[in-house]
Amino acid sequence: MLSEEIEIRTGGVEVVYDLSAECERFLADVGRADGLLHLWVPHATAGLAVLETGAGSDEDLLAALRDLLPKDDRWRHRHGSPGHGRDHVLPALIPPHATVPVFDGRMALGTWQSVCLVDTNVDNPVRRVRFSFLRG
């Protein structure tokens, strides 16, 4: 199995960060192989999603998360910035893992699909993402 971990700087703002270019760079080392690309985010406050980016869906997702998980004082988990407890609930809705089929060395995504890191935790501006490729 081929595996690599990268660092992503998300800054101090909520973000949907498109990882597709990083995925393609990682897959360049597998040649024309078939298999599965697995992504893992080893953080308690971030997730991975497959969605369209650049046409507003990324901002819509962040707005929906703000509606579902308001940044207020309802959360029992209270360290960090106000409302930070909601960031710890995020991975239950947007999991910290994703698996994408790979054929001939390329992700088998739909035309408008991208693999994205979803990070609402403004207290942690640096994230790690683990890429693993399992040959078929």
Side-chain angles (χ1 to χ4, degrees):
M1 177 170 62
L2 179 65
S3 188
E4 174 185 316
E5 188 173 83
I6 65 166
E7 189 175 276
I8 301 292
R9 295 195 174 278
T10 57
V13 297
E14 297 177 346
V15 66
V16 175
Y17 182 94
D18 189 342
L19 291 166
S20 298
E22 286 88 348
C23 292
E24 291 168 2
R25 183 196 52 75
F26 172 74
L27 289 173
D29 289 341
V30 306
R32 299 184 61 145
D34 295 345
L36 296 173
L37 171 63
H38 183 76
L39 294 93
W40 172 253
V41 180
H43 298 282
T45 58
L48 294 162
V50 176
L51 75 154
E52 178 181 9
T53 60
S57 297
D58 35 1
E59 286 301 319
D60 289 342
L61 174 59
L62 292 174
L65 289 172
R66 285 190 287 273
D67 289 344
L68 289 169
L69 305 171
K71 196 172 253 232
D72 58 23
D73 64 355
R74 75 181 70 202
W75 308 103
R76 290 186 181 101
H77 187 103
R78 297 204 182 254
H79 79 83
S81 62
H84 173 66
R86 73 155 194 153
D87 299 324
H88 287 274
V89 176
L90 176 100
L93 302 175
I94 300 175
H97 57 84
T99 303
V100 179
V102 174
F103 298 103
D104 199 26
R106 298 178 55 96
M107 291 183 292
L109 294 173
T111 302
W112 305 111
Q113 290 180 315
S114 296
V115 179
C116 299
L117 170 66
V118 180
D119 185 8
T120 60
N121 181 358
V122 299
D123 295 339
N124 188 353
V126 179
R127 297 301 185 164
R128 294 185 332 266
V129 180
R130 162 98 26 212
F131 299 91
S132 299
F133 180 72
L134 181 62
R135 288 184 188 274

